[in-house]
Structure formats: C-alpha cells, structure tokens
Amino acid sequence: MLIAALLLWPTIAGAAEAPVIEAIVDRDSGATLWSSANPAAHLSLKPGQEILLRGRNFGAGPLTAARPGLGPPAGGTAPASGGHSVRTSPPQAPGKELSKVLFGNVRALERNLSSYRARIDISSGVSSIAERLLGRTLDYFVEPWQATPDTWASDIYSWSDGEIDLTVPITAYEGPIQIVRIPVSGDYVLDIRTGKPLLYQDPNTARVTIDKHYAFVDVWPIARTSETVLTSNTVAVDIATDGKDRLQYGSVASSNPAEAQAASKALAAASAQRLLKTTPTQRSAAEQFLYGEKAYWAWDWNLGAVHFVLGVDWDGIFGFDSDRKPPVSEALLKDLEYKKSGIAAPKVEDNGYSMPELAADGTVTQTVLHKALIDRSTGEGIRPSTSFGAVPLLPDTGAAKVIAPAVAFNQQSFADPTPYPISMAFQLPPPFPKPLAGGETKPTGWAGYVFAQVAAPLPGYPKIVDWIGFNCAACHADRVTFEYDAAGDKVSRFFTGIPNPDWRATFLTLSGRALGLVDEEGLPLNFIRHDYPSGTQKQIESAGKAHGLLGRFEHAVDTFLAQHGIPLSRQTVDKTLLIYNLPPGATEATLFNSADLPGDYANDYFFSPQTIPIITNHTPIRRALSRSELLDGFEGAYLHGEEPEGARGPMSTRSLQDLTLYVSTLHQDDEVLRRIGVYRWLAYKGHSDWLGASVNEGTFVSFAYQPADLLKPDTFPPPPSPPDGLGAMRDAAMASTRAPVSASDPFSQHFPGLVPHVAHGANLFKDSCSRCHSPGNAGLWTNEDMQPISAAGGAEPVGRFFSPTLWQRKTQAIRTAILQNLFWVERRGLLSDGHIVSGAPDNMDGLDLLVRPERCQAPTNADGSIDLTRASDLYKKLYTIHQGPDHSFRIPSAGMRFELLTRWSGDKPGVLQQIAAPDINRRVSEQEARMVERQAYFTRMDDGYDYWDYQKMRSTYGILEFGLDPKDPQSRSRIGGLPAAPHPWCMPDSASQADIDDLVVFLLTL
C-alpha cells in the first residue's frame, strides 16, 4: 500500500525551466485582464476573484494541496497501525513540487485550515485545582470534530503546466503576482527506525477527536527539495482594499445566522461544486491590518485564566497591587500550592521601583509604584527586563522618544470572534460566571504584556477581572535605539518581527508554585530500558520490591519495566535551575510541563532549546517550524498559537487571516534594520573606513530617508522598498557576473568603499551557501529543504548541538533556515538551538564563528569519533567539554552556588554569561540537581558541574530518542550518526580573514 502511495508522490525533477506567466484571465467572463503581448495593461483584482494564470513551465503544482472546502491535503495514506480519517486524504498526481503563487508577500493558500473550537477537558475550575493538589494532571485540551468548522479555505482549484485556476487570497493587498517552483529531488526524509520514508501526521488536525478517537490519522512522507528555485516573471497588479471589494464565501462563525448558515452549506457542498467567494467582508485591508496589529500587540495569547490556574502570579511578578488582599479562596489555593511545591511563598520587596507609563505621543499618563515579589533564585526584587526580558515601553538612555504601534499604549476591545476563543479555557457551572465572548485589554507598560478581562474562576472575585498575559510582541519585537539623522540624534523604536534576545521562560519559576515546577516525575521508558541515568534500574528494582511488584524481575525485565518502570522511577524534581540556564532568546517546548502530561508537550528529558525565530518575512514560506509543508507556512504555524507557554486552542479564521496580513507587512523595516546592523558590525570590526571618513550611524542609516520616515511605527499599506540601499547593492552583486560590480545607484555611489566587499561576499556566498540558501525564493534565501538530522535521512546530515526538539525528532529533519536581518538574529545565538555564541557584544562575532573554516575542522576516526588530536582549537572550544574560566555549557550540581545565564551582567552588557546568583546563600537543591542529572547528555566532571556533552550525543544518538543502539550494525546503518559539527558547512580551509569579513558583511545585507 505504501509503495503504491509513494508512486503518486513527486518524482525526481529533470532540467526544469523557469515558469512564464503569459496571461491572466477572469474565469467568470473569460476576459483577458493582462497578457505579455500587452504588458503595460493595468491589472486590477479583488480578493476572492476567480482567475486563471496561463503560460508555460508552471510544473505539476504544490505538494499536499487541497481543493477549496473541507478536504484534507492530498497524498496521505492510512497509517500502518490501522484506523482511518473522518475525511480521507485524496490521491496526489505525480510530479508535485513545493510550488506557490505569490501576491506581493502572501501566498495563495494551498490547503484548507480548519479551526476546531477547543476546550480543556475538565468539568470545572475548582475540580481542576483539586486535581492539581492531589498530584494528578489536568486532562489535556482537545478539539472536538465538527462537520463544518470555521475554515480558511484554500485558494487553488487546479494547477497544470500551462494553467493555474485559483482565487485571489483574502490576505492580498498588493502585487506583484509571481509563481515560485522548488522542484523536489526524488528523495525523502528517511525514518531511522525503519530505513523507509518517514511518515508524518498533519500537525494542524492531530488533536481533533470524534467519539474518543482521533478524527484525522492519515500520514505523509516528507519530500526533499532540490537546489534549484525557479521563479517566473512578475506581473504588476492593484488589489482592491475596500471592504466591499474583498470577497469571501462567508463565515460559519459569523454572528449573523443567515451568513453562518449559508457559509456552512457552501463548505459542506464544496467537494462537489466550487466554493464561490462572493460575499463582501465589509472589512478593508487597512482594517485587517489594524486588527492583525491589535492581535499581535494587544491580545493576551496566554489567557490570564490559564496562567492563574497554572500558578503564575503575574501581578506579583510585575509588582502590581502589592497591597491587595486576595479572596479567601485564592489565599487557600496558594497555601495548598506552596505546601505541595515545598517552596516558601516569596515575599514582596519593601521599596520597589517607580515607572512612568506613556501614551503613544510620549506624554506620561501615570507613574506606577511597583513592589514585586523577591526572586528566590537571586534574592532580589523582580525586574521584568533583567529577569525575563520584558522590554518597557519607554525610551532608552540617550533617546529623545520611544516609537511603537499606538495599540501598544492604549486600551483595546476584542469582540467575538476573538483571536482565539476565550470560552475554551473553562466550562464552569453556576454560580460561576459564563466565559466571556469578548473583552478588553490594557497595557502594563511593557511591550507584549497586557491586562486582559476574564471571567473569574474562583469565588470572592468580581465577575470580571483583569489578569496579565502576553502576546507575540513579547518575543517577536524588540526596542532598538539608533541615530536617525546626521546630527546623531537618537530614537528608541520597536521593530516588529525581530526576536527579543533577552526573553526567557523564567517567569514560570518566579511565583514558586506553578504547575509542573516541582513535581514527582517518572522517566521516559527508553531512558529506563537503557538505565539512564546510571542506576535507574536499581532504583526501580528497589522500589518494586518495596511495593511488592517485582515478581520474577530477572526473567521478565523488559515486561516489568514496560508495565511498572515509569511510575516506579518517579522522583521529585525542581525545574528552576534548568529554566534559569536556558539561553536567553530561546524557549523549550517540553521542559516546564509534567512528564505525565498527555499530549505533545510532556517533559521528555531532552534539553532542547529552540531560538525565537525572526518573522519579518515569514508569509511566503511553506515549510514553517521544521514541520514540512503540511503545516502550511505562517498561517498553519500560528493556527495554534503559543501552546508550550500556556495558550490553548486554535485561532479563529478571521483573526488568523488578519494576523497573516499584518505580519506580511513587517518587511517594510528591513532596509533600516540592515543599515543599523551593518554600521555597528563594521564599527566593531574596525572596518568603518569602508563607509568613508567620519561617517556616523545617523548619516549611514538615514541616507535617502526623510526623518519622519524613521520616526513612525509600521504603516499600511507598507511603503515600497527603497530603490537604493543595502538591498539594492546586494541584488546588484548577486546579479553581476563580472568584477568590479558597477555602483550605479546613489547609495552605492555615496558609499563606494562598501561595494567591493559586498560583491566579493556575494561570490563567496554563491560558492559556499547558495546550494541550500537559494536566492529567488521571495527573499527568504532558503530552498525549504528538510535537512535530515542524522545521516540516514541523506548523505549530509545537519545535526544539532543541543538535543533535537520534540518536533525535530518527529520529522527527523530541520528545514533550511530563512536568512534575514541576521545582525538581529545572531544576538540570541545562531542556528536553531542558539549555540553559536561569541564573547562579543550582541554576539557580533557569531556569523564569523558560523562560517569560519576552523569550526568544521574535525577529522573522524574509523569508528566515527572525532580525532581530537587533529581537530581545530575552535572546534574543541565549541564542541567538547572544557573547564575553567572559558568553560563550555554547564550547570552547577547540588550544594553549589546557584548560577544563571544572562545578557544583563553589568561588566559585559549584551554578552551572554553564566553568573553566580547575587544571593551568596542561594544553593542548588537536590531536586534542582536531579532535574539536570536526568536530562540526556549531561556529564558530571570533577569540578562538580554537569557539562553538556555533544560528543556523547554524537556517539549514542538513537538510543534514548528511538530505542536503537548505534553499536548494532543494522541500527547504525539506519541511524547514520550526527555530523562532526552541527551545520557542517563552513568556508573552505583556504578562506582568509578578509574572505570571512566579506562574506559576513554580505550576509548582513540579507
């Protein structure tokens, strides 16, 4: 069956030619709206309008596409274990590729994205609290199947080599129209457990249930892409932006019963007839932008009610209402939770700090005295900036003002449907209030953190209360202070979409009572079966004897361990120490949750930091979050918001569309961000002379800009990219086939000394990087290939320094990264785990380390181990254990002084350091040390620290992850092994420092 299915999957690409759009036709009337014979014809289209793209070399169309309606992506098969989906995946024609049609910076949606309204499967808030205190886990949240759920329907009806039948996407607002084809290689990501193509479930419907069974169980292989990206000619177009001209099929979630009923009928019939998008949304593109901006900056994505039940005391963390006397029910709850965790309730600091809160125009609206909890790990009052990376909505030192979207400063209202349903958090019986269908949020004074109205879940509160949660801007925005004119005047401006390099998950530890912080947890079965950590099986044997469960242990070890090993391995762990040593600018999807939690995010004891991605140009991507094209790009990636940090359930279709439109505009800041980054890197490296004599930051950044352009937040429609600047210089260098590159634009003529370095860097990029980081893919600089983590999935594994994440292990691959605004990316560490970190401020040597040939100089022995006698000093520094002042990644053990990672150390601001806690009496507890000792791939050294052991992971990868022993020849051939260095692609050994500098400055222009 699998072989038959794979025959329908893409075959290896031949020498494909670039697509050519020759005509655009209105499908209803048959009228030709534009043609290559008359390229100057003015083309105007409406979202929802049905059109035909005609031409040649379009290819066979996109992988895992779906006809508009309710159907799943094509090309899936039933799992070998049995079962069938409530809607089965249709067959897929051969020759499919990773293709897309772009309207400006957004794609015509390739598949249907349904939002199944979620709920947490508990009967009441009170019973959930009782379950927690009895040591039981909350039932995980589920998404009950609906026949006609709220759905963002696909835009593509058919795709052949000469014609594409589609509708203009609802997220479109500008052109040009362009077709992008990424042919496949004919290979697949292989499953190291079987040696066959890995089969992967659709992550967007994986939790939908029907009659206590999963509704969608089909699985798909993951095709590898080729090195080629083929792009068509571009066709200029005006897209209607008025609400009466933006068309959809309606909404099943509409508050208008007639519209909801008509939309449901249309969806239900869509498998047999076309889903016509003829209903005006009555929401202009500008209104979509504003709603998306509001969702990004002002919505509470984590739901204050959820964090309240989890035990995150946001008011105390921020120091609001320190004098408030809690209701008896809350006080009782807290007492019980502290008793369970064994941690004393933190005290409130005596003096606190005052902070002004600003309006959007910079005027002070009020000054608030904050008296925060005292952090038990530092002994000091909590300061949101240094503790967990919250950025205040205030100007930095030396800046005249702060600039951020107006919605960040003002109260905002959200009506049903909200960005995702509030009602799923609890189902409370009377006399508790009903969940809110809408509500308001208010700023706290920190970017991304808001007060949100929720229905109170406990007696003693008003019916509606304001609790703090956070949103996209907390992680995916940062304040940058820069010179904006030649006089050197400074402004602090929030740039949306860049990662916050200081964001940390430490807020989960600060109240000391959060669910899962201190808990009795069992080990994963593979850990137990392989006696990891050493002595685990003896502990289980002893516990089994004590409980009378051991039986004939010596004759049925595996059976006994499978039946009783996990519960008998339970020991108390405290996750505080490990959370404090997660690299800033990264999260960890499973660390904080209980190992017994059902669902995707249970603690797996693999230390898997995942850096916060940049999303300034994320909407053209199909393969997001390394989860294959099944996720379907930004849209699918954010259908289920910040789940690991507490959010529950999918977004509503309307809000997801508006958020997508908003995020598609964030590229408007790219040129400014590039210029700031390049200027600072040149100054740090001593190359300021490349820009000429005495050029300050303001002169370089503001060239050809009006001052007002640099002193306002993002606008809609986004202004066109500057015709000259670093982007134009980069493009000229990539297009040039001769040296020297001509400097014809005003920016290049004004800074001629920079041109040859960018040009040389472009040639080095073509030679060393472009095989995977392909130009032409909508400015993403990726071929979107899923690179196998270990060699079994391909001849060149990508590897990872820290353990692969939960999702990376499921796909056994990591997508080729997007390259954009790398100066702002490298601050939080490079590669997906952020391990490429230097001792320079803002990690300004990070790209140098990444591409430097010495990083990859690590000859291997016959058994696959590294010959450290011949490995470079840089390799040994990055990838082997070393002690002393310049030590490798480590965590102190029990009884030692508590240490933490930070970029806020006073002696080296902006440099990642591990420092001792200010409180000299703060020592690592046994439970905190046990949490680290149980993690895979830490090794205790004679100085008492547990060191991350990359070489240990290289030699044993597959045992704990998949139960495969790499010493077994059959398993070894499938596992293949991790590379000597993660991302084992560096510059040639002959590269000079001048070559490295030129490549880096080119990378900073992407």
Side-chain angles (χ1 to χ4, degrees), residues 42 46 59 198 227 354 361 364 455 509 573 599 610 620 642 748 761 816 958 970 992 995-996:
H42 182 74
K46 298 178 180 180
L198 182 142
E227 301 172 14
S354 293
D361 63 3
V364 177
T509 74
V573 295
Q610 176 66 43
E642 301 165 3
S748 298
T816 302
Q970 183 177 4
S992 65
D995 291 333
I996 294 171

Side-chain angles (χ1 to χ4, degrees), residues 117-120 122-125 299 303 305 416 418 420-439 453-457 463-465:
R117 201 172 182 94
R119 60 181 173 85
I120 293 179
I122 54 179
S123 59
S124 73
W299 178 242
L303 295 180
D416 193 29
T418 53
Y420 62 67
I422 297 174
S423 60
M424 81 234 157
F426 298 104
Q427 302 293 329
L428 298 174
F432 294 100
K434 292 183 178 180
L436 302 183
Q453 289 183 333
V454 295
K463 290 185 177 181
I464 297 175
V465 293

Side-chain angles (χ1 to χ4, degrees), residues 359-514:
D361 63 3
T363 58
V364 177
T365 60
Q366 63 177 336
T367 298
V368 179
L369 175 62
H370 298 263
K371 290 186 177 181
L373 300 176
I374 294 176
D375 184 346
R376 68 187 175 96
S377 296
T378 66
E380 300 175 337
I382 295 166
R383 298 296 179 265
S385 294
T386 54
S387 179
F388 52 93
V391 186
L393 286 161
L394 297 171
D396 204 353
T397 303
K401 61 185 299 187
V402 66
I403 298 169
V407 295
F409 299 95
N410 303 321
Q411 180 171 306
Q412 302 296 324
S413 296
F414 292 87
D416 193 29
T418 53
Y420 62 67
I422 297 174
S423 60
M424 81 234 157
F426 298 104
Q427 302 293 329
L428 298 174
F432 294 100
K434 292 183 178 180
L436 302 183
E440 294 180 342
T441 65
K442 297 184 297 186
T444 62
W446 281 269
Y449 296 84
V450 296
F451 290 101
Q453 289 183 333
V454 295
L458 289 175
Y461 279 102
K463 290 185 177 181
I464 297 175
V465 293
D466 290 327
W467 279 333
I468 297 173
F470 65 85
N471 52 47
C472 312
C475 302
H476 298 285
D478 197 23
R479 182 184 63 184
V480 178
T481 299
F482 63 98
E483 296 179 6
Y484 65 90
D485 61 20
D489 297 315
K490 291 184 178 181
V491 68
S492 293
R493 180 175 166 188
F494 279 87
F495 287 96
T496 309
I498 64 174
N500 176 354
D502 296 303
W503 186 91
R504 307 167 75 198
T506 47
F507 64 85
L508 294 165
T509 74
L510 296 174
S511 53
R513 59 185 178 88

